[in-house]
Amino acid sequence: MSISKERILEYKKNFGLRVRELRESKGFSQLDLASEINVEKTSISRIENGRTNVTLVTAVKLANALGVELKNLFEF
Amino acid sequence: MSISKERILEYKKNFGLRVRELRESKGFSQLDLASEINVEKTSISRIENGRTNVTLVTAVKLANALGVELKNLFEF
């Protein structure tokens, strides 16, 4: 049973909101987080707005920078 | 504080082992799982052997096919 495009979009959005939530609770700006994982600020903005199909490696770097376990990024 | 290449490789390996563990507990072959998410069997093999930087969308499809929540794929 395949999964709809709408559901996949929802996952991207929820992942982005989760990153934003964790970033803000850490008191990081998008620029802070971007420089921690060596990407442009726009990349963080796109991730948080659900417009990026992030990879496992980027997720690992985000979790490391945010000081959380990888699975915490996917708790939504 | 950036994360080492070795640590990133470890995450890929652990993710792969987790997918294999869940697949086998579901009684799926690699071919079964591959057809469920519309990829080649070799893609599943590469994922399980830690040789792929999987994307969020692929992870969502894997979780859906394996009947688990997305975060369960990252519990390792």
Side-chain angles (χ1 to χ4, degrees), chain B residues 13-51:
Chain B
K13 254 193 216 141
N14 288 332
F15 180 83
L17 293 174
R18 181 68 175 143
V19 170
R20 174 169 294 158
E21 181 190 0
L22 290 166
R23 173 177 62 76
E24 288 177 345
S25 71
K26 185 120 178 143
F28 274 7
S29 67
Q30 287 186 338
L31 193 57
D32 295 331
L33 185 54
S35 55
E36 280 282 323
I37 72 165
N38 239 324
V39 299
E40 298 292 322
K41 179 176 172 291
T42 47
S43 301
I44 299 298
S45 171
R46 285 178 53 82
I47 288 170
E48 291 188 354
N49 291 305
R51 298 205 320 268

Side-chain angles (χ1 to χ4, degrees), chain A residues 20-76:
Chain A
R20 173 169 295 159
E21 180 190 0
L22 290 167
R23 173 177 62 75
E24 288 176 346
S25 70
K26 183 115 180 154
F28 274 8
S29 68
Q30 285 186 339
L31 193 58
D32 295 331
L33 184 54
S35 56
E36 281 283 320
I37 70 164
N38 238 325
V39 298
E40 298 291 324
K41 178 176 170 293
T42 47
S43 301
I44 299 299
S45 170
R46 283 178 53 82
I47 288 171
E48 291 188 354
N49 290 305
R51 297 206 320 267
T52 304
N53 185 15
V54 295
T55 65
L56 176 62
V57 170
T58 300
V60 166
K61 290 179 179 176
L62 286 169
N64 184 61
L66 294 167
V68 298
E69 284 192 65
L70 182 59
K71 67 181 177 188
N72 298 141
L73 286 186
F74 299 95
E75 277 165 355
F76 49 78

Side-chain angles (χ1 to χ4, degrees), chain A residues 60 70, chain B residues 3 7-15 76:
Chain A
V60 166
L70 182 59
Chain B
I3 187 161
R7 277 292 281 146
I8 285 176
L9 260 180
E10 220 178 291
Y11 273 99
K12 282 188 191 175
K13 254 193 216 141
N14 288 332
F15 180 83
F76 49 79

